[in-house]
């Protein structure tokens, strides 16, 4: 009757979970095997009807094995309901050492008795548990086990453990038994509990053994806490630590396979991830536009390789027949470094538009080793820049003055390779602001809600997967794709800022899969509505709007926070864009040269100097140091652009 009462809750849980089953994971069947470390917690003097003089047994340990069968079924996303049936051995030896006075070697000495019970305990049990996937492979589980007693027998004895020899027990009549052991017994234990109950928790890590993940090897660690006594009238519990493996078979989900045909099905789901990282079904994508002005400072230096006067390939150099197509407006919406690599084209176009403007080119070297004192190399570098402007852009040579020197007037650190690299340059100077002013790009920023679209592909195939492709399309244009030639991962994230949908239309997505037999299946195409709140719409409908202006200041000299003439002009531009209700953010940065502490201080001083120049008192100026390098510091231009202060002005319009 007791067995039936214990089993009923397990059956009810099983039936209830079946009704809510959602196949997010595949069903698993398998076997398991564990090595058990048994930790006994007794609290008794003796077992009923078995002789012992022990004051109290209070600890014991042993080892055993646990083997059996398992079944796991999905009941929710990342959640499995599991059942196990198997054998477990709870063997353990209880020992207690008792100090006593005894007669040995012709005198009374202090000795020790060892009381022991060596128990053999076997049971067959049923387990029910929940297992949750923390990741695709790591699972945490917890549940209950009911073990039904098969065997519970023990050997008991008391022996003299100290002294190691020379002592023996006396019988009731005072005669020497010539034995160091007494109260020996061996028997099946009467009064043993028929059911052993445990609560348990564990971890497992699933390792796929084949490409389709149908066979899984899972190392497991479980701890079982005994909930009732091993005997009905004796306080004796046991806890176990189990270490072992489970081998699981996880068949693919069958949907449409006809008899004799290979199964190949595919489906895909999309979820939105908001700013807080919350995941929700992607019911709608909202795109909001904001007016934006971004100021890109122009670094008027061209850097050269060691012992070279050839303009490096990373700079954008045009053919003569292409110069007419180049306009500064081409730079709008481009990244900072792309704009920089067009520095010669930008300056040339500006000289054409400002025919009275002149420039000075100063070639420099690192003045170290093979370049030391090599002014001819410096002259060749400035001549290379002049030649490009004259031959390609047809700028009059009379408007370009070429000079040379060794180190620049304000050199970078000559004791570090990064500094030496920065000194191999041609500096371009003009007293006409229109030639060297920053590139100001007026653009439209778009913010998306959600920020991330997460795709969950589901592929069901009897064969190995040869290829798969996830695609997201709007108005017949593919905006995003993921693909591979093996089983797809659990999920794929699309940051919508990378390629934002721009139409107030649906975004359509699907997955196509090909197996090794060249069978191809494409999932149902699913759609997500897209709402676009344009700048024009907000103005016409008088919706609250905001404008974002981003400014960067560079040409801070090496290891200094002094603004300089050109940065002061940029500060004047920023002032003109700040309204009384504007929110201003000021962040200073550095490159990697120097110590981390020194760069942190330098970036804070640079941010502070901009704050003071703007006359802002209630704005926090933060220095980031080299914590977040904005550009590639393996290149000299990347390090120069890192010596910056970024200012963001956000203005809300009602």
């Amino acid at each position: 009757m007791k067995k039936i009462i214990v089993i009923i809750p397990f059956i009810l849980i099983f039936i209830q979970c079946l009704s809510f089953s959602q196949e997010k994971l595949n069903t698993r069947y398998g076997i398991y095997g564990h090595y058990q470390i048994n930790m006994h917690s007794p609290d008794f003097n003796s077992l009923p009807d078995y002789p012992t003089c022990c004051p109290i047994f209070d600890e014991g340990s042993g080892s055993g094995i646990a083997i059996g069968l398992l079944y796991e079924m999905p009941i929710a996303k990342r959640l499995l309901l599991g059942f196990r049936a198997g054998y477990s051995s709870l063997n353990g030896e209880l020992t207690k050492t008792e100090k006593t006075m005894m007669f040995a070697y012709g005198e009374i000495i202090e000795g020790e008795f060892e009381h022991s019970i060596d128990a053999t305990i076997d049971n067959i049990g049923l387990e029910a548990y929940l297992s949750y996937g923390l990741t695709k492979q790591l699972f945490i589980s917890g549940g209950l086990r009911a073990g039904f007693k098969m065997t519970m027998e023990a050997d008991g004895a008391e022996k003299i453990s100290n002294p190691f020899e020379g002592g023996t027990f006396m019988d009731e009549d005072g005669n020497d038994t010539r034995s160091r052991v007494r109260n020996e017994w061996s028997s099946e234990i009467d009064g043993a509990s028929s059911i052993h109950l445990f609560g348990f928790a564990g971890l497992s890590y699933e390792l796929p053994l084949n490409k389709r993940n149908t066979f899984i090897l899972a190392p497991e660690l479980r701890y079982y806490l005994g909930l009732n006594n091993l005997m009905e009238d004796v306080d004796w519990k046991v806890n176990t630590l189990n270490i072992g493996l489970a081998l699981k078979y996880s068949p693919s989900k069958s949907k449409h396979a006809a008899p004799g045909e290979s199964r190949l099905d595919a489906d895909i789901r999309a979820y939105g991830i908001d700013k807080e990282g919350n995941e929700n079904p992607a019911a709608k994508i909202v795109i909001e536009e904001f007016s934006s002005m971004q100021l890109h400072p122009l670094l008027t230096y061209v850097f050269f390789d060691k012992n070279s006067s050839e303009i490096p390939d990373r700079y954008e150099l045009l053919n003569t027949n292409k110069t007419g197509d180049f306009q500064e407006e081409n730079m709008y919406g481009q990244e900072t470094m792309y704009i920089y690599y067009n520095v010669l084209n930008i300056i040339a176009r500006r000289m054409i538009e400002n025919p009275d403007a002149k420039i000075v080119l100063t070639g420099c070297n690192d003045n170290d080793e093979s370049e030391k004192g090599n002014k001819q190399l410096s002259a060749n570098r400035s001549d290379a820049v002049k030649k490009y402007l004259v031959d390609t852009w047809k700028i009059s040579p009379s408007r370009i003055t070429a000079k040379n020197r060794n180190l620049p007037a304000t050199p970078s650190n000559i004791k570090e390779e990064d500094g030496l690299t920065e000194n191999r340059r041609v500096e371009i100077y003009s007293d006409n602001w229109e030639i060297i002013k920053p590139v100001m790009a007026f653009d439209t920023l778009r913010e998306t809600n959600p920020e991330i679209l997460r795709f969950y592909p589901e592929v069901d195939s009897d064969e190995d997967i040869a290829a798969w492709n996830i695609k997201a399309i709007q108005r017949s244009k593919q905006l995003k794709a993921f693909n591979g030639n093996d089983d797809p991962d659990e999920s794929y994230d699309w940051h919508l800022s990378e390629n934002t949908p721009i139409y107030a239309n649906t975004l359509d997505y699907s997955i196509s899969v090909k197996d090794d037999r060249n069978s191809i299946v494409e999932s149902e195409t699913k759609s997500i509505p897209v709402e676009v709140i344009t700048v024009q719409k907000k103005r016409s409908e008088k919706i609250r709007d905001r404008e974002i202006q981003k400014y960067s200041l560079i040409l801070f000299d090496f290891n200094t926070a002094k603004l300089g003439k050109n940065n002061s002009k940029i500060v004047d531009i920023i002032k003109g864009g700040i309204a009384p209700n504007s929110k201003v953010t000021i962040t200073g940065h550095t490159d990697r040269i120097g110590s981390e502490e020194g760069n942190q201080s330098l970036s804070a001083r640079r941010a502070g100097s901009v704050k003071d120049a703007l006359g802002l008192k209630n704005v926090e100026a933060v220095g980031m140091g080299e914590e977040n390098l904005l550009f590639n510091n393996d290149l000299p231009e990347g390090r120069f652009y890192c010596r910056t202060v970024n200012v963001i002005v956000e203005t809300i319009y009602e």
Side-chain angles (χ1 to χ4, degrees):
M1 185 64 183
K2 290 182 178 179
K3 296 181 180 179
I4 295 175
I5 293 174
V6 171
I7 294 174
I8 287 175
F10 290 94
I11 297 174
L12 292 176
I13 292 172
F14 178 78
I15 295 173
Q16 181 71 12
C17 290
L18 274 178
S19 64
F20 291 102
S21 177
Q22 305 173 42
E23 291 205 346
K24 307 302 183 185
L25 297 167
N26 286 359
T27 300
R28 293 102 187 276
Y29 310 87
I31 59 176
Y32 67 90
H34 292 166
Y35 173 75
Q36 289 190 174
I37 301 173
N38 302 325
M39 295 158 281
H40 290 257
S41 301
D43 188 12
F44 59 85
N45 298 86
S46 64
L47 298 179
D49 301 325
Y50 299 104
T52 180
C53 299
C54 181
I56 189 169
F57 288 102
D58 56 9
E59 64 180 358
S61 63
S63 62
I65 63 170
I67 57 174
L69 305 175
L70 65 88
Y71 169 74
E72 296 174 339
M73 56 177 288
I75 61 174
K77 181 184 173 184
R78 296 189 179 183
L79 188 63
L80 295 167
L81 172 66
F83 298 93
R84 295 191 179 193
Y87 165 84
S88 175
S89 56
L90 305 176
N91 303 340
E93 184 177 8
L94 315 183
T95 60
K96 183 67 176 182
T97 300
E98 178 186 4
K99 294 184 180 297
T100 185
M101 303 304 294
M102 64 176 62
F103 186 78
Y105 310 118
E107 59 180 335
I108 297 176
I109 64 172
E110 183 180 67
E112 291 181 349
F113 291 171
E114 182 183 83
H115 308 271
S116 67
I117 297 176
D118 189 359
T120 301
I121 307 169
D122 300 323
N123 67 45
I124 291 289
L126 296 176
E127 298 180 10
Y129 57 92
L130 292 174
S131 184
Y132 179 75
L134 299 174
T135 68
K136 188 176 181 180
Q137 294 175 281
L138 180 63
F139 286 77
I140 185 172
S141 59
L144 295 172
R145 173 184 171 86
F148 305 101
K149 185 200 72 171
M150 295 175 60
T151 303
M152 186 168 179
E153 56 187 26
D155 299 328
E158 298 174 5
K159 67 179 181 180
I160 299 172
S161 57
N162 186 28
F164 297 108
E165 58 183 22
T168 58
F169 283 110
M170 308 292 287
D171 61 18
E172 294 179 354
D173 298 327
N175 298 317
D176 189 348
T177 64
R178 298 185 179 277
S179 174
R180 293 172 59 83
V181 180
R182 71 179 181 184
N183 290 336
E184 286 186 278
W185 56 271
S186 179
S187 173
E188 185 171 349
I189 303 297
D190 295 328
S193 299
S194 58
I195 298 175
H196 304 152
L197 295 177
F198 298 86
F200 67 87
L203 289 172
S204 66
Y205 191 82
E206 296 193 343
L207 301 170
L209 298 180
N210 62 344
K211 292 175 68 175
R212 299 200 309 273
N213 290 353
T214 53
F215 286 97
I216 299 168
L217 184 66
E220 297 185 323
L221 177 67
R222 289 187 166 202
Y223 185 81
Y224 290 78
L225 178 68
L227 302 179
N228 70 329
N229 290 316
L230 298 177
M231 298 186 64
E232 294 179 353
D233 299 321
V234 175
D235 191 357
W236 182 6
K237 293 184 174 69
V238 61
N239 306 324
T240 72
L241 178 64
N242 288 27
I243 304 170
L245 297 171
L247 179 62
K248 304 177 184 181
Y249 172 63
S250 178
S252 299
K253 296 171 286 186
S254 177
K255 294 180 182 178
H256 309 297
E261 293 183 358
S262 294
R263 183 172 57 248
L264 180 60
D265 287 293
D267 195 10
I268 189 168
R269 296 170 289 119
Y271 287 78
I273 313 299
D274 61 21
K275 293 181 180 180
E276 288 72 37
N278 301 314
E279 182 179 283
N280 298 291
K284 187 178 185 180
I285 298 174
V286 178
I287 314 294
E288 185 173 359
E289 293 183 348
F290 302 96
S291 296
S292 170
M293 189 280 287
Q294 188 160 1
L295 182 148
H296 297 275
L298 195 62
L299 176 62
T300 54
Y301 295 165
V302 177
F303 297 97
F304 290 80
D305 296 333
K306 182 77 171 180
N307 295 320
S308 174
S309 60
E310 183 177 348
I311 300 175
D313 292 340
R314 62 183 183 272
Y315 291 91
E316 294 287 337
L317 302 180
L318 305 177
N319 295 324
T320 301
N321 58 355
K322 294 292 184 180
T323 57
D325 298 331
F326 182 87
Q327 301 295 327
E328 192 167 322
E329 289 75 12
N330 299 345
M331 300 294 102
Y332 291 1
Q334 299 293 341
E335 297 293 331
T336 297
M337 296 311 297
Y338 179 82
I339 294 173
Y340 164 72
Y341 288 132
N342 277 278
V343 58
L344 295 180
N345 301 321
I346 293 171
I347 288 176
R349 172 55 62 191
R350 289 175 175 179
M351 292 187 73
I352 291 173
E353 294 171 354
N354 296 272
D356 294 332
K358 296 183 179 181
I359 61 173
V360 177
L361 306 177
T362 303
C364 307
N365 61 62
D366 63 23
N367 202 34
D368 184 66
E369 296 179 350
S370 57
E371 289 197 10
K372 188 173 182 64
N374 193 347
K375 286 189 176 182
Q376 184 57 53
L377 177 61
S378 302
N380 292 343
R381 287 170 174 169
S382 59
D383 287 343
V385 173
K386 181 175 181 178
K387 178 177 175 61
Y388 175 72
L389 297 175
V390 172
D391 292 353
T392 301
W393 281 89
K394 309 305 179 185
I395 306 297
S396 171
S398 63
R399 300 174 61 192
I400 304 173
T401 301
K403 297 181 177 180
N404 63 81
R405 55 182 300 147
N406 288 316
L407 285 174
T410 307
S412 296
N413 190 342
I414 61 174
K415 296 182 179 180
E416 293 192 23
E417 180 58 33
D418 282 351
L420 294 174
T421 304
E422 292 174 13
N423 293 332
R424 302 168 198 148
R425 68 194 190 214
V426 169
E427 300 178 345
I428 305 171
Y429 171 77
S430 177
D431 57 7
N432 188 322
W433 172 249
E434 294 299 320
I435 302 300
I436 59 174
K437 69 182 181 181
V439 174
M440 298 179 67
F442 297 90
D443 202 357
T444 299
L445 294 180
R446 295 178 177 88
E447 289 188 0
T448 67
N449 184 21
E451 294 185 336
I452 298 172
L453 203 59
R454 178 169 294 165
F455 295 110
Y456 285 96
E458 296 178 359
V459 177
D460 175 24
S461 175
D462 285 338
E463 307 298 327
D464 288 342
I465 301 302
W468 58 269
N469 179 61
I470 297 172
K471 57 185 177 182
I473 296 174
Q474 190 178 53
R475 287 192 178 181
S476 301
K477 179 182 179 181
Q478 181 170 290
L479 299 182
K480 189 65 178 179
F482 300 94
N483 53 69
N485 53 13
D486 204 338
D487 290 343
D489 292 339
E490 179 183 14
S491 64
Y492 295 90
D493 285 358
W494 174 18
H495 293 261
L496 292 173
S497 60
E498 296 173 359
N499 198 1
T500 307
I502 60 174
Y503 299 110
N505 202 324
T506 60
L507 178 74
D508 303 321
Y509 63 96
S510 63
I511 180 173
S512 61
V513 181
K514 181 174 74 171
D515 65 17
D516 280 349
R517 292 189 177 186
N518 288 325
S519 297
I520 299 175
V521 66
E522 184 161 355
S523 71
E524 172 192 358
T525 298
K526 299 180 180 179
S527 300
I528 306 173
V530 178
E531 179 185 0
V532 180
I533 306 174
T534 64
V535 173
Q536 292 78 6
K537 180 179 180 180
K538 287 189 285 187
R539 290 174 180 172
S540 62
E541 298 181 10
K542 298 183 179 180
I543 299 174
R544 185 180 185 185
D545 195 11
R546 59 189 170 106
E547 182 180 71
I548 300 173
Q549 300 176 356
K550 297 181 179 180
Y551 306 89
S552 295
L553 297 85
I554 63 165
L555 294 181
F556 284 96
D557 288 334
F558 177 75
N559 201 31
T560 180
K562 185 177 179 181
L563 280 178
K565 180 180 178 181
N566 290 339
N567 277 336
S568 296
K569 291 187 176 182
I570 295 176
V571 167
D572 292 338
I573 296 173
I574 299 173
K575 285 181 179 180
I578 299 177
N581 66 329
S582 295
K583 177 184 176 182
V584 182
T585 303
I586 303 173
T587 310
H589 298 269
T590 66
D591 60 15
R592 69 186 181 190
I593 300 177
S595 68
E596 184 176 344
E597 296 79 6
N599 284 333
Q600 178 63 42
S601 173
L602 177 60
S603 66
R605 295 200 309 274
R606 285 174 174 165
S609 66
V610 173
K611 174 184 175 180
D612 293 342
L614 290 172
L616 301 173
K617 296 182 179 179
N618 298 321
V619 173
E620 183 179 7
V622 178
M624 299 297 293
E626 59 182 88
E627 177 183 340
N628 180 23
L629 295 175
L630 302 177
F631 301 98
N632 182 2
N633 269 225
D634 291 334
L635 295 171
E637 58 268 24
R639 295 191 292 274
F640 265 92
Y641 271 100
C642 280
R643 298 166 191 164
T644 186
V645 173
N646 288 330
V647 180
I648 298 177
V649 179
E650 185 175 342
T651 306
I652 297 176
Y653 298 97
E654 299 293 344

